[in-house]
Amino acid sequence: MLGLQLPTDPRWVNIVEKNIEEILTDHAYCEQKAASTAISLIVSFPEYTELVQEMVALVKEEISHFKMVHDKILERGWVMGRDRKDEYVIQVTQFFPKGGSRTIQLVHRLLYAALIEARSCERFRLLSEELEDKSLANFYRSLMVRVKPIITQCF
Ligand SMILES: [Fe+2]
C-alpha cells in the first residue's frame, strides 16, 4: 500500500524498544529534517508558487511533530541526544542521480522525501502495534493516522 519494495523486519521493534530514548531522539531528528527539507525546497524552487504554499504548510506540520516528540523526551526526564547517521537515508539519497534539469532535481527530491515518509509511516504502524509501552504505542498510532493518507496519495 505504501509502495515500499521490502517491509521492515517485524523484529526491528523488539530491538529498538530496548532503547526508547534513542527511538525518540531519532524520531525527533526525522521530524526536524522533514521541516528542514520543506524549507530547503522553498529556497531552491521559489518560482513554484503552489509548491511553496504546500511546503509552508508542511513546515508547520513537521515542526509541530518535532515538538510533540521533543515533549515526549522531556516527559521522560531526558534531554534530546545528538543526531546520528541513518544508513537507510544515505542509501536512498545515493539512489537518485545527481544533476539534470531543475525540474528533474525537484522530482528526485520529492520522490526521496516521499520514500522517507513512507518508511516512517510503516514504522509508526509497527511501533503502534508492537510497543509494550502503550502510551507511546498510542502516540505512534495517532501519527500514523495523520501521515498515511498523505503517503498513499504519493504512490
Ligand atoms: Fe512528521
Side-chain angles (χ1 to χ4, degrees):
M1 179 189 319
L2 294 171
L4 297 167
Q5 292 287 312
L6 293 172
T8 294
D9 187 327
R11 292 172 297 182
W12 170 80
V13 176
N14 306 116
I15 296 167
V16 298
E17 85 172 331
K18 292 184 177 132
N19 195 340
I20 298 293
E21 189 172 0
E22 201 169 284
I23 294 174
L24 289 172
T25 294
D26 285 349
H27 183 182
Y29 281 109
C30 288
E31 301 294 356
Q32 174 266 310
K33 288 170 191 168
S36 298
T37 297
I39 291 170
S40 172
L41 287 168
I42 292 169
V43 172
S44 299
F45 302 96
E47 71 274 28
Y48 291 96
T49 302
E50 189 177 346
L51 174 77
V52 170
Q53 291 291 313
E54 292 294 329
M55 291 303 103
V56 168
L58 189 63
V59 169
K60 291 178 183 173
E61 181 180 340
E62 298 298 354
I63 209 66
S64 77
H65 294 170
F66 171 83
K67 180 167 179 9
M68 290 164 68
V69 180
H70 192 248
D71 287 348
K72 292 282 176 202
I73 292 170
L74 299 182
E75 281 170 20
R76 287 167 165 76
W78 299 328
V79 173
M80 188 171 154
R82 300 291 304 256
D83 194 14
R84 297 182 313 146
K85 283 185 181 173
D86 185 324
E87 194 57 38
Y88 175 76
V89 171
I90 291 169
Q91 290 193 16
V92 169
T93 307
Q94 290 173 347
F95 175 80
F96 291 99
K98 304 289 179 245
S101 70
R102 293 185 76 245
T103 306
I104 292 293
Q105 290 175 40
L106 172 59
V107 169
H108 285 170
R109 287 174 69 178
L110 291 172
L111 286 171
Y112 155 80
L115 281 169
I116 300 294
E117 282 295 311
R119 184 63 72 191
S120 295
C121 183
E122 181 215 23
R123 291 191 171 180
F124 289 168
R125 183 187 57 77
L126 283 172
L127 291 166
S128 73
E129 292 173 354
E130 303 295 334
L131 278 178
E132 289 183 17
D133 180 332
K134 292 306 167 201
S135 164
L136 207 52
N138 289 336
F139 173 65
Y140 280 107
R141 174 163 304 285
S142 71
L143 283 176
M144 180 191 68
V145 168
R146 289 177 194 202
V147 173
K148 194 172 180 182
I150 298 165
I151 299 300
T152 51
Q153 286 174 4
C154 295
F155 294 98

